[in-house]
Amino acid sequence: MRRLPVYILIDTSGSMKGEPIESVKVGLADMLATLRQDPYALETVWMSIITFDKDVKQLVPLTALENLQLPDIMIPDSGPTFTGLALQTLCEKYDTEVHLSTPTQKGDWMPLLFVLTDGKPSDLQLYSQMTAKVKERKFGNIIACAAGPKAKKEYLQELTDKVFSLDTMDSSTFRKFFQWVSDTIGLGGKSVGATEDIELPTPPAEVNLVI
C-alpha cells in the first residue's frame, strides 16, 4: 500500500505556553481519533510531528496512523522561534523518510504539510532560503496556520498561498482547526492519484483564508 505522508510543524515558543499549547494537544488528539475512524486514512496515512522554538525536534518520525502515540509537547519559558531551522529539518526528514517513485516501483503519494505558528521566524535569512528548498520538494499541499493576532501572515505567504488565520487561540478554535485538518487529510487519502493538487474542504468559520 502506498503511503500518504503528513508532516505537522508546530510552533512551541514561549508565547504558546499555557492554554494555546494545551488546546493544540486536545486538537491533535481529536484529529487522530477522527482519522482512525476513516478506513482510507487508516490504510494510507503516515504522520510526523516536528516542533520548533529555540530547538527543533522531530517528536514523531513518520509513523503509521495506527501506531502513532502523541508525544508530550514541552514549551520553554522564552527564546527565539527558529522556523527556518524547522523547515531545514523538514527537508532532511523528507529526503530520508519519503519513498520516491523509481522506474520500477511506485513511491509514496505526495506528502501534505501543515505549519502552525503564532509569531514570526527569528532566523529570517535561513527561513527565506528554506522556503525555496521546501518548494523544490513535491508536496500535495502546503497549508500554513497563523494562530492569534501576533502571527505574521506575510512570512507564511512566502511558503505557500494557502495561509489561514485563527483569530483566537482557545480550545474550541483549535479543535475546529484540527477537525478541518483531519477532513483535509481524509480527503487526501481518498483522492491521491486522482489529482496533483488535493482540493481543500470548506474551512469552518473560525478558520479564515488569508488573501
Side-chain angles (χ1 to χ4, degrees):
M1 176 65 70
R2 297 174 72 182
R3 307 181 304 175
L4 175 63
V6 178
Y7 286 91
I8 299 179
L9 274 59
I10 299 173
D11 182 344
T12 47
S13 57
S15 54
M16 289 288 290
K17 204 174 185 75
E19 184 182 8
I21 197 61
E22 294 306 317
S23 300
V24 166
K25 291 178 187 178
V26 169
L28 282 170
D30 285 355
M31 179 188 73
L32 286 182
T34 299
L35 286 172
R36 283 175 173 151
Q37 294 171 13
D38 180 338
Y40 290 99
L42 208 52
E43 282 188 358
T44 58
V45 171
W46 285 56
M47 192 173 292
S48 170
I49 297 174
I50 296 172
T51 59
F52 58 99
D53 44 72
K54 59 184 176 60
D55 299 306
V56 174
K57 303 186 186 85
Q58 188 186 36
L59 295 184
V60 179
L62 202 61
T63 301
L65 195 58
E66 62 182 347
N67 299 326
L68 194 148
Q69 299 291 322
L70 281 179
D72 192 21
I73 300 176
M74 307 300 291
I75 303 283
D77 290 329
S78 61
T81 306
F82 287 145
T83 319
L85 186 58
L87 295 183
Q88 185 176 61
T89 301
L90 166 72
C91 289
E92 291 167 359
K93 299 304 179 184
Y94 183 109
D95 293 345
T96 57
E97 293 178 338
V98 176
H99 302 152
L100 301 179
S101 294
T102 69
T104 58
Q105 188 172 351
K106 291 284 190 182
D108 292 330
W109 302 111
M110 287 191 296
L112 304 180
L113 170 60
F114 298 89
V115 181
L116 186 152
T117 181
D118 73 335
K120 69 174 184 178
S122 301
D123 50 352
L124 282 173
Q125 186 172 355
L126 180 60
Y127 179 78
S128 293
Q129 293 170 0
M130 294 316 301
T131 53
K133 295 293 185 185
V134 170
K135 290 175 184 177
E136 288 174 6
R137 287 152 178 84
K138 289 188 174 180
F139 284 91
N141 249 322
I142 300 174
I143 296 166
C145 174
K150 295 182 180 178
K152 299 298 184 184
K153 307 174 185 70
E154 60 269 27
Y155 294 111
L156 294 175
Q157 288 174 312
E158 292 180 28
L159 177 66
T160 177
D161 59 355
K162 297 181 178 72
V163 178
F164 296 83
S165 67
L166 307 180
D167 294 335
T168 59
M169 299 167 67
D170 55 32
S171 59
S172 173
T173 299
F174 274 122
R175 262 190 155 134
K176 291 284 179 59
F177 172 71
F178 279 107
Q179 179 61 52
W180 178 68
V181 170
S182 66
D183 290 345
T184 303
I185 295 169
L187 194 63
K190 294 179 180 69
S191 64
V192 284
T195 174
E196 283 287 298
D197 193 26
I198 296 168
E199 292 228 3
L200 300 180
T202 302
E206 294 85 352
V207 180
N208 309 299
L209 175 64
V210 177
I211 298 175

